[in-house]
Amino acid sequence: MTFPVGYPEHRAVDVPLRDGSTIHVRPVLPSDLFDVGELFGRISAETSRLRFHGVRRPSVEELRRFVEVDYRNVFSLVALTARGNEPRIVAFVSYVVSVPGTAELAIVVDDPFQGRGVGSVLMEHLGEAAAEAGIGCFEADVLSTNNDMLEVITALRLPVRKSLDAGVVRAQFPTSPTAEAIEAFEKRDAVAAAAALRSFFVPRSVAVIGASRKRGTISGELFHNLIEAGFAGPVYPVNPSTDVVQSVAAFKSVLDVPGPVDLAVVVVPADRVLQVAEECAQKDVRALLVISSGFAETGEEGARRQQDLLTVARRYGMRIVGPNCMGLLNADPAVRLNATFAPLMPASGRLAFSSQSGALGIAVMERAAELGLGLSTFISVGNKADISGNDLLQYWEQDPNTDVVLLYLESFGNPRKFARIARRVAQSKPVVAVKSGRSQAGARAAASHTASLVAQDVAVDALFHQAGVIRTETLEELFDVANLLAHQPLPSGPNVAILTNAGGLGILCADACEAAGLVVPELSTETVAALERLLPAEASAGNPVDMIASASAEHYAEALRILLVDPTIDSVIVIFIPPLVTRAEDVAAGLMKVAVENRSKTLLGCFLGVHGIHESLREDGTAIPTHAFPESAAKALGSITRYSQWLERDHGEHPSFDDIDHAAGVRLAATLIERGDRWLEPHEVTALLEHYGIPAATGLVVKSPEEVAKAAAQVGTPVVVKIVSSTILHKSDVGGVRVGLTSPEEAAEAAREMLAALKDAGRNREVDGFLVQELVSSEGAEFFIGVTHDPLFGPLIACGAGGTMVELMRDVSVRITPLTNVDASEMLDSLKSRLLFEGYRGQPPLDAAALKELLLRVSVLVEDLPHVAELDLNPVVVRPSPRGSIVLDARVRVAAPKPPSPLGARIVPGRRSPVA
């Protein structure tokens, strides 16, 4: 499709509704005039009366006003769904600017689509567009009898001012969402995601399109697995070439199936998938599980084929898992759905697993069976054309059969949304993830200090840390953590006791525990005394407790009982090497007896050579996970202990500042981007920072050395003179900064010298002017705060030791915005230079509170302004407490929001464009 110049393509998104179907939302086009008119023509008389306060139809002139391309004063969105083979406009919403900063709101929804959440979706998207355009307030006139519309406005959870006049309610509310409004949006999104996935995981019926008579083929094994697992509903084989598939009567087409079909499993060649999808749409299938390969994973032609498939699904409100995946299963005994071609059906359990790799999925199920781990559900998402990990998280959050979520991730669809959802899910269910791709092979050349310091894997670590996701390095470690979460309580603290019959392994385990962030404390006096009474004199009753090789099964059981009642101990690792005199089975039996008695503390074992759950270590609903080596036990325990601590800690709040002028900042940013993607001029940067209360050194921008002298006199000497350039990014590297100039003449001469030096280097034409700035006292220390806009993660904010040595020192902490007050504190606490805040080597303590506030103000700025692509505040001088901080140099690059990926998008609540 060709769009008019200035068309905000990034506002086109596919949005799930509360019933699990989807609609396509995009800005209106002039060519929509007829279709919008048709929408107004077919709405009922009652809808028309409520919409227009009387039964009437808008004139062509009125309609033309709404569809003309004027995205500053008039902005309209349409929602589309299928009508046969053509998209149909089923809702329309617009605003018209009445006075600067305020716009009149109008909306109409086709009668069959009312009550499905369409109105709320459109108003949320329209509000986001309005906020980006500098419009802070919506006004809407609603008949007092129009309860549905009043409920839609109320459901937005925005502060609404209402006034009543002659039966008409005038509602006024902000365009920018509050925290409560974002929470309401996310709840609606979660309901929609869960509704969509129920058709996949709990279908009433399944059709396998392309089912084969031959075992050993993918489609043959998949159909066999559905039958063999004992699926609770009918399974229909569809194959145009045969009448019978594996003793079951087959159908030529899904359209021939006599009953309804909830889930269609598509296993046909790639060039036939599109036709199959069209037939499924006619059959009113809600869920497509596309096993077939030959799509985006194969190159440009496959990517186009995948987009065509998604277009068909969107047109008819179907959802897709895949393509290029191995399927999904639900091990719930009431469902017994195995729509995979894996050779086994796992036992029913409480773990859910999502994998982007199909081949890995088979290995996952085999490994789970070896370890005695049961699954609630498993899914291979393949190319993630539609259903994503974010949708799955929201389904599993509400799934009563799932206690732990396991993820194998190769990429993120919308990491900012993942962070919000995972943070919410992790409050009630652990989320464990292996994220591949730690290498720096994909690192890009960076134009700012911040971009050069922030690698993408740093962003992944920041995301997981903030969201409470347990990140593991390997799949083996993921299963170690999962095993522990599935069978043991979370530790209440970091203190670990180690019980062993081999002193050397006990020491190795203690070292591994400390490396994992755990503490191996001294045991209480009472505990040591009890152990000394129990054990022979040659044993060690310290921590680790070395019972020596002669320790019996009875010694193990009684020593464990003593350790578990020690109030200073949160977890116990038991290490056993089979000697000649003691059998592993006897030790296991003794341990299990004690474990059943005391289930309040975390217990794990290291029976050398045994990995998983030893049969002797499972009894009465309790199991002790075992590890082949002590290092893996310590690492798994460290992971779940950090998660337990994350659950207990205060996660903070997103602060607000009374002196920030959000509306003015948004309006200024919208004006600045009109000149295109660029680094801002110093005076533009200063104006932007002022709106957010960010203190910066006073300065003037001038064009020539002569003007430098006048500016120095006006600012007041001593001064700093810096070159202004859109291409020379690190000014000090080319001698473009002079400090401590004590007179106007000295300042002018410094400017001439800089110009001459740059001329000799052939770069004098890159100088746009000079910044003459007040000289700020050097008392204190230099830090930096920066923002870079990662194409996946959105704004990443970094803070660390600053000045000219920033990239050499690399003392930096990174988080994903928006920051809470706790996030900001953690960032400063994690720096090596944090000692300066305490008063290092007799120096006065620096004002950490001022730097923390500056971090939070920058976070608010980038959340408000999606146009800010990069920002460097370096150096920021942090003075001795309580004298605050000040920015000495600031650079900001603005860029227009990018259109979403051709594979669709998900909205990000707040003042930010949707991210693919």
Side-chain angles (χ1 to χ4, degrees):
M1 179 181 291
T2 302
F3 297 108
V5 175
Y7 183 81
E9 189 182 350
H10 66 283
R11 292 262 161 237
V13 292
D14 296 311
V15 183
L17 299 178
R18 64 172 65 119
D19 62 358
S21 63
T22 61
I23 56 171
H24 182 66
V25 175
R26 63 164 170 78
V28 74
L29 289 162
S31 57
D32 292 325
L33 178 64
F34 174 81
D35 291 334
V36 172
E38 186 185 51
L39 167 64
F40 282 97
R42 69 172 179 267
I43 58 176
S44 67
E46 178 61 10
T47 296
S48 181
R49 183 186 70 81
L50 294 173
R51 166 63 182 82
F52 296 107
H53 305 181
V55 180
R56 62 179 289 266
R57 298 288 185 262
S59 67
V60 173
E61 289 73 21
E62 287 175 312
L63 289 175
R64 185 172 285 115
R65 180 189 181 197
F66 290 112
V67 302
E68 290 296 337
V69 181
D70 176 9
Y71 301 114
R72 182 164 293 280
N73 298 305
V74 180
F75 187 85
S76 304
L77 295 170
V78 291
L80 300 94
T81 186
R83 181 184 61 186
N85 290 326
E86 296 297 328
R88 181 177 191 172
I89 293 176
V90 297
F92 176 89
V93 64
S94 67
Y95 68 69
V96 179
V97 175
S98 51
V99 296
T102 300
E104 293 277 353
L105 173 72
I107 184 170
V108 64
V109 179
D110 203 357
D111 291 71
F113 283 82
Q114 294 176 13
R116 296 172 61 182
V118 176
S120 297
V121 163
L122 285 176
M123 290 175 65
E124 285 157 351
H125 284 255
L126 191 74
E128 194 174 69
E132 186 177 294
I135 297 166
C137 178
F138 276 153
E139 294 180 337
D141 290 335
V142 185
L143 285 179
S144 59
T145 56
N146 191 350
N147 294 323
D148 290 343
M149 188 61 203
L150 291 172
E151 286 179 9
V152 168
I153 293 174
T154 302
L156 295 174
R157 294 293 186 269
L158 292 166
V160 182
R161 291 202 310 265
K162 297 178 182 178
S163 59
L164 181 64
D165 182 18
V168 175
V169 176
R170 165 145 286 211
Q172 296 177 310
F173 50 93
T175 58
S176 300
T178 60
E180 187 181 8
I182 292 175
E183 182 181 358
F185 169 88
E186 291 178 342
K187 285 181 179 178
R188 290 192 291 272
D189 190 52
V191 168
L197 279 158
R198 273 192 289 274
S199 296
F200 288 95
F201 284 123
V202 195
R204 293 166 300 176
S205 57
V206 180
V208 181
I209 303 173
S212 175
R213 301 172 62 185
K214 297 180 181 178
R215 294 289 308 278
T217 63
I218 287 177
S219 59
E221 289 303 308
L222 195 149
F223 181 75
H224 170 79
N225 287 346
L226 278 164
I227 301 299
E228 183 72 15
F231 174 59
V235 179
Y236 304 108
V238 176
N239 187 325
S241 303
T242 183
D243 294 329
V244 177
V245 172
Q246 298 181 37
S247 302
V248 180
F251 302 90
K252 303 299 182 185
S253 163
V254 69
L255 296 172
D256 298 329
V257 172
V261 174
D262 284 347
L263 172 64
V265 184
V266 182
V267 203
V268 300
D271 58 3
R272 287 188 51 212
V273 170
L274 201 62
Q275 176 189 344
V276 166
E278 293 276 5
E279 292 174 354
C280 287
Q282 294 177 51
K283 183 66 177 174
D284 199 26
V285 174
R286 300 298 298 274
L288 291 181
L289 173 59
V290 183
I291 308 296
S292 310
S293 58
F295 291 87
E297 80 281 2
T298 63
E300 290 186 12
E301 182 181 350
R304 284 192 295 271
R305 185 181 293 125
Q306 185 165 309
Q307 175 56 35
D308 291 342
L309 172 62
L310 184 62
T311 299
V312 170
R314 288 288 184 262
R315 183 182 300 153
Y316 294 100
M318 293 185 293
R319 303 304 301 271
I320 300 172
V321 167
N324 185 37
C325 70
M326 68 163 286
L328 57 85
L329 62 83
N330 184 346
D332 183 349
V335 180
R336 300 294 297 173
L337 173 73
N338 184 2
T340 76
F341 50 86
L344 56 88
M345 177 75 171
S348 177
R350 311 291 299 177
L351 303 177
F353 197 109
S354 169
S355 172
Q356 280 186 244
S357 166
L360 179 65
I362 296 175
V364 162
M365 286 192 279
E366 290 177 347
R367 185 61 173 157
E370 290 173 7
L371 295 175
L373 288 171
L375 298 180
S376 60
T377 45
F378 167 86
I379 186 168
S380 162
V381 293
N383 293 1
K384 295 195 302 182
D386 178 21
I387 294 292
S388 68
N390 293 338
D391 299 312
L392 290 163
L393 276 176
Q394 295 187 107
Y395 174 80
W396 284 323
E397 179 185 20
Q398 302 172 54
D399 179 21
N401 295 325
T402 296
D403 291 337
V404 181
V405 176
L406 310 178
L407 306 172
Y408 172 74
L409 302 169
E410 293 173 355
S411 64
F412 291 96
N414 186 332
R416 291 174 63 76
K417 184 174 181 180
F418 175 89
R420 290 193 311 277
I421 296 171
R423 192 169 196 160
R424 187 180 72 237
V425 175
Q427 296 285 349
S428 58
K429 299 181 180 183
V431 179
V432 190
V434 174
K435 169 65 176 72
S436 61
R438 280 191 178 272
S439 74
Q440 297 299 311
R444 63 186 179 93
S448 66
H449 293 300
T450 309
S452 68
L453 290 168
V454 180
Q456 190 177 92
D457 200 63
V458 173
V460 174
D461 279 337
L463 183 155
F464 285 172
H465 174 81
Q466 287 170 267
V469 174
I470 302 171
R471 182 175 190 177
T472 63
E473 302 286 336
T474 64
L475 282 169
E476 181 177 10
E477 187 185 339
L478 177 137
F479 277 112
D480 288 343
V481 171
N483 213 352
L484 201 46
L485 290 169
H487 296 109
Q488 288 291 311
L490 289 173
S492 56
N495 290 345
V496 184
I498 300 168
L499 180 64
T500 180
N501 64 351
L505 282 182
I507 295 171
L508 283 175
C509 187
D511 290 343
C513 284
E514 291 192 1
L518 301 169
V519 178
V520 183
E522 293 184 4
L523 301 174
S524 69
T525 303
E526 294 79 7
T527 298
V528 171
L531 289 170
E532 287 177 341
R533 288 193 296 271
L534 170 70
L535 301 175
E538 298 84 357
S540 170
N543 193 12
V545 179
D546 179 10
M547 299 186 295
I548 68 175
S550 61
S552 66
E554 290 75 17
H555 283 142
Y556 263 101
E558 188 55 35
L560 177 61
R561 186 176 284 110
I562 292 169
L563 291 173
L564 287 175
V565 298
D566 187 326
T568 66
I569 296 302
D570 305 304
S571 307
V572 180
I573 299 176
V574 180
I575 302 172
F576 174 73
I577 297 180
L580 294 175
V581 295
T582 307
R583 296 193 322 143
E585 291 80 1
D586 296 335
V587 172
L591 295 178
M592 281 306 305
K593 183 178 180 180
V594 177
V596 171
E597 295 170 2
N598 188 334
R599 304 183 194 220
S600 62
K601 295 188 178 181
T602 312
L603 178 60
L604 61 165
C606 173
F607 278 45
L608 232 62
V610 177
H611 195 193
I613 301 290
H614 191 283
E615 282 306 311
S616 302
L617 293 171
R618 187 194 305 273
E619 179 183 327
D620 190 27
T622 298
I624 303 175
T626 54
H627 301 260
F629 300 100
E631 294 87 349
S632 59
K635 202 165 188 178
L637 181 59
S639 293
I640 71 164
T641 300
R642 286 190 295 276
Y643 169 68
S644 179
Q645 292 169 330
W646 178 87
L647 283 175
E648 294 299 321
R649 80 178 189 215
D650 175 16
H651 298 292
E653 298 176 345
H654 298 109
S656 60
F657 299 95
D658 294 337
D659 61 342
I660 288 180
D661 192 339
H662 298 275
V666 171
R667 285 195 297 271
L668 176 59
T671 301
L672 295 174
I673 195 61
E674 289 178 355
R675 287 176 51 196
D677 298 5
R678 63 191 176 93
W679 290 95
L680 297 182
E681 303 290 342
H683 69 279
E684 295 171 326
V685 174
T686 299
L688 202 61
L689 297 183
E690 283 179 353
H691 288 312
Y692 288 86
I694 295 173
T698 302
L700 296 171
V701 177
V702 296
K703 289 294 186 183
S704 66
E706 291 71 29
E707 292 175 329
V708 166
K710 295 177 183 177
Q714 184 175 342
V715 170
T717 55
V719 295
V720 177
V721 176
K722 307 173 184 177
I723 61 170
V724 175
S725 173
S726 59
T727 57
I728 301 175
L729 303 179
H730 305 310
K731 295 179 284 291
S732 58
D733 292 352
V734 296
V737 179
R738 296 287 293 273
V739 180
L741 304 169
T742 59
S743 69
E745 294 75 22
E746 188 179 358
E749 183 58 27
R752 293 187 190 97
E753 291 173 358
M754 285 189 280
L755 270 181
L758 286 166
K759 184 176 181 179
D760 291 342
R763 304 193 69 179
N764 58 305
R765 293 180 181 233
E766 298 180 58
V767 178
D768 303 320
F770 300 91
L771 174 62
V772 182
Q773 204 172 47
E774 65 174 315
L775 179 65
V776 175
S777 168
S778 60
E779 187 180 10
E782 293 182 340
F783 288 80
F784 89 95
I785 292 175
V787 173
T788 184
H789 197 104
D790 185 274
L792 274 180
F793 293 88
L796 306 175
I797 190 165
C799 178
T804 57
M805 304 290 282
V806 57
E807 286 161 7
L808 178 64
M809 299 296 293
R810 302 190 77 84
D811 178 21
V812 61
S813 179
V814 177
R815 293 290 186 273
I816 290 171
T817 64
L819 298 182
T820 67
N821 55 343
V822 172
D823 291 332
S825 296
E826 285 186 346
M827 289 181 74
L828 300 187
D829 291 342
S830 68
L831 297 174
K832 289 177 284 188
S833 47
R834 69 185 179 279
L835 297 176
L836 297 173
F837 302 128
E838 303 165 7
Y840 184 64
R841 291 193 172 181
Q843 296 297 314
L846 299 184
D847 197 340
L851 186 58
K852 174 182 172 181
E853 180 180 324
L854 192 55
L855 266 172
L856 293 170
R857 287 179 179 272
V858 170
S859 174
V860 173
L861 183 151
V862 297
E863 283 297 297
D864 272 2
L865 311 177
H867 299 302
V868 172
E870 288 186 84
L871 175 149
D872 265 350
L873 307 182
N874 184 42
V876 176
V877 173
V878 180
R879 295 163 168 151
S881 182
R883 290 167 51 195
S885 63
I886 187 168
V887 177
L888 299 191
D889 195 21
R891 300 175 61 251
V892 176
R893 183 173 68 84
V894 294
K898 297 294 185 286
S901 149
L903 301 184
R906 293 289 181 270
I907 189 172
V908 180
R911 304 181 187 88
R912 186 158 313 286
S913 304
V915 179

